[in-house]
Amino acid sequence: MKTVETAAGTRRLHPLPLRIMHWLNAVAMIVMITSGWGIYNDSVIIGGLHFAHALRLGSWAAESLLWHLAGMWLLMINGFFYLLYGLVTGRFRERLFPIGIADLVQTVRDTLHLRIAHDDLTRYNAVQKLLYVVVVIAGISQVVTGMAIWKPVQFSGLVSLFGGFQGARLVHFLGMAVIVGFLVVHVALSLLVPRTLWAMLAGGPRIPRPVRRRRIAT
Ligand code: HEM
């Protein structure tokens, strides 16, 4: 047996399936956040914190809930395929890892000095990688806590894992806050470096595919 390496051609930086899933996810997240704010207003967690009518999807809590449950299917199905795609194609390994502490410190320093050129679109900096990993985990946590709140009897084990219904609600609320915080930074950065936005729309530059190794009998 010997191992041969075959040139695997090129592909877009952001392949079409990834772009479709990214933008579907953006729509799903916006539906989930704005309809969630409509539901929240009915029974607030932080006294005095209400979301203005203009920011809510649904004119009253029950209508917001209908939007929330509809958006949930898009978020869950699309999110499932995004995770599968990232794992099977090796994209997560290739683009989001490793995350080095020294790189993190250097990127934070550069950002504080307003050096956010992002010249090389083919590599994410350490802060970007960390934020993407955090938001993916927050998305998964939202689905899990959402299930616990939606069906507390069927998922009673899950509810007790969060210390009860209100605990699951609180973690769900904090997950939303993490995702909204991410979105503010994420959208601001993509507008500051519009080449990245264009690449997420059109695919970006062509880059070599990872080399394929095959074992053949000799
Ligand atoms: C709604 C407005 C949004 C805009 C304008 C936007 C824009 C972008 C852009 C430009 C990139 C590429 C970054 C680069 O090449 O440096 C990107 C990647 C990414 N975005 Fe967004 N995004 C949005 C919403 C979201 C949401 C809601 C999430 C998740 C909660 C999200 C998660 C991600 C992730 C995980 C990546 C990395 C994808 C990968 O390479 O595998 N984005 N986004």
Side-chain angles (χ1 to χ4, degrees):
M1 291 286 264
K2 78 172 181 180
T3 307
V4 289
E5 293 190 345
T6 48
T10 62
R11 64 163 166 79
R12 290 270 178 208
L13 173 64
H14 301 306
L16 185 64
L18 179 102
R19 279 177 276 151
I20 294 175
M21 288 184 285
H22 175 268
W23 293 115
L24 280 179
N25 178 59
V27 172
M29 277 293 184
I30 288 164
V31 168
M32 295 309 279
I33 292 166
T34 51
S35 59
W37 287 348
I39 304 165
Y40 165 91
N41 268 11
D42 218 28
S43 160
V44 301
I45 292 178
I46 300 173
L49 176 67
H50 291 269
F51 294 99
H53 199 267
L55 297 174
R56 290 165 8 207
L57 185 60
S59 49
W60 59 303
E63 197 184 315
S64 298
L65 184 61
L66 291 178
W67 275 108
H68 209 63
L69 295 181
M72 170 194 81
W73 291 109
L74 179 60
L75 182 77
M76 275 198 338
I77 295 169
N78 187 59
F80 170 78
F81 283 110
Y82 175 68
L83 289 180
L84 196 66
Y85 180 90
L87 292 172
V88 170
T89 63
R91 187 176 176 92
F92 286 154
R93 195 172 5 95
E94 184 194 319
R95 309 270 297 147
L96 303 185
F97 295 100
I99 306 174
I101 299 285
D103 279 355
L104 264 179
V105 173
Q106 187 56 46
T107 315
V108 171
R109 275 210 192 116
D110 287 350
T111 311
L112 291 176
H113 289 95
L114 298 179
R115 285 195 296 260
I116 43 172
H118 199 10
D119 289 330
D120 181 3
L121 287 190
T122 63
R123 294 187 57 215
Y124 291 141
N125 67 46
V127 171
Q128 263 181 305
K129 288 181 187 178
L130 183 67
L131 287 179
Y132 291 152
V133 172
V134 166
V135 84
V136 168
I137 294 172
I140 296 170
S141 161
Q142 286 307 83
V143 171
V144 174
T145 48
M147 285 294 159
I149 302 169
W150 182 37
K151 299 278 179 198
V153 176
Q154 290 87 336
F155 294 111
S156 56
L158 209 53
V159 174
S160 40
L161 208 65
F162 293 104
F165 185 80
Q166 286 304 336
R169 248 194 104 196
L170 183 63
V171 178
H172 199 63
F173 183 82
L174 293 175
M176 176 280 295
V178 167
I179 292 171
V180 171
F182 163 85
L183 255 180
V184 171
V185 175
H186 187 60
V187 174
L189 284 179
S190 65
L191 293 176
L192 276 173
V193 192
R195 286 182 317 125
T196 62
L197 189 55
W198 182 242
M200 197 33 110
L201 287 165
R206 297 202 76 88
I207 56 168
R209 282 180 198 277
V211 171
R212 277 201 210 109
R213 289 192 178 80
R214 275 188 306 136
R215 307 186 85 194
I216 53 167
T218 47

